[in-house]
Amino acid sequence: MEQKLLADFSLCAQTLGALFYYDPSDARVNKLIDLFTTSEWLTEWPFTQDYDCQRIDKLFQDSLSESETLQEAYQRLFIGPYALPAPPWGSVYLDKENVIFGISTLELRAWLRNNQINIELNQKEPEDHVGLLFLLTAWVIENKPELLRELLELHFLPWVYRYLEKMQLQSGNAFYEASALLATETLRHIQQAAKLNPANKELCL
């Protein structure tokens, strides 16, 4: 990838990672929420000319009238206690038993170890969380860009579109629907621009 595209993708991946990983009350994400719900993001997002950001922005604005708070939506969509409409872990989509810590998680863990990449987690959780993988993508761009294609083609793109589709259709929350649509359009643009070829893996969910 050319340097400009890499830099733009890094910014987007870091932002999307924060939206999907951190609680909305977290200082690392609450400023981003203000940015998206006031439409200011349209002046800073690198790819506004490459896909329909106005449609995405309308969803972000619609989220302001939700009766459910964003913290409540985050709890429902990412934590539980009830079944998650769109589980955010890759192995749920790639493992025939639809489990976390599945074979694909172990493959990602081995890839990280072989490439001397250490993800420091605050709790015991799978490394293939969608938010973590966006954040990892940004880190790889900045620190080990030669590994980016492999990370995306083998460990992220084979399943993430299915997750994002489920989030758009089943989240029941305009903010996370908008976030999922923004992530989808961004990844599709990068995939096309960089001629990425995701591994053909069977999806089980």
Side-chain angles (χ1 to χ4, degrees), residues 18 21-30 33 71 74-75 176:
Y21 190 64
Y22 297 119
D23 185 290
S25 63
D26 192 298
R28 287 166 289 194
V29 72
N30 52 26
I33 293 169
Q71 284 78 14
Y74 178 85
Q75 179 75 29
Y176 285 109

Side-chain angles (χ1 to χ4, degrees), residues 49-171:
Q49 302 304 312
D50 299 302
Y51 41 80
D52 188 2
C53 287
Q54 294 297 328
R55 176 188 169 200
I56 299 168
D57 185 59
K58 184 180 184 305
L59 283 169
F60 278 125
Q61 306 319 308
D62 289 347
S63 72
L64 293 171
S65 60
E66 295 269 11
S67 58
E68 179 183 49
T69 69
L70 208 49
Q71 284 78 14
E72 290 170 340
Y74 178 85
Q75 179 75 29
R76 178 173 58 81
L77 294 170
F78 293 94
I79 308 298
Y82 304 110
L84 306 183
W89 304 282
S91 68
V92 175
Y93 300 89
L94 297 171
D95 192 288
K96 290 182 179 180
E97 301 298 323
N98 307 125
V99 295
I100 61 173
F101 291 106
I103 293 175
S104 62
T105 310
L106 301 180
E107 290 173 346
L108 173 61
R109 187 175 292 173
W111 184 86
L112 292 168
R113 184 173 59 251
N114 292 339
N115 289 291
Q116 300 180 318
I117 300 173
N118 181 40
I119 297 181
E120 295 185 5
L121 303 174
N122 295 327
Q123 56 190 354
K124 181 176 171 55
E125 64 176 319
E127 292 86 344
D128 59 349
H129 186 289
V130 62
L132 279 176
L133 279 170
F134 270 120
L135 295 171
L136 176 61
T137 295
W139 186 92
V140 166
I141 291 171
E142 300 299 328
N143 295 278
K144 296 192 175 187
E146 70 277 7
L147 298 176
L148 179 62
R149 181 175 292 270
E150 194 171 278
L151 171 64
L152 295 175
E153 291 183 340
L154 295 182
H155 299 289
F156 199 18
L157 293 180
W159 66 272
V160 71
Y161 291 120
R162 176 65 62 85
Y163 162 77
L164 294 170
E165 178 186 34
K166 289 178 72 68
M167 182 62 87
Q168 288 178 60
L169 295 174
Q170 301 178 26
S171 68

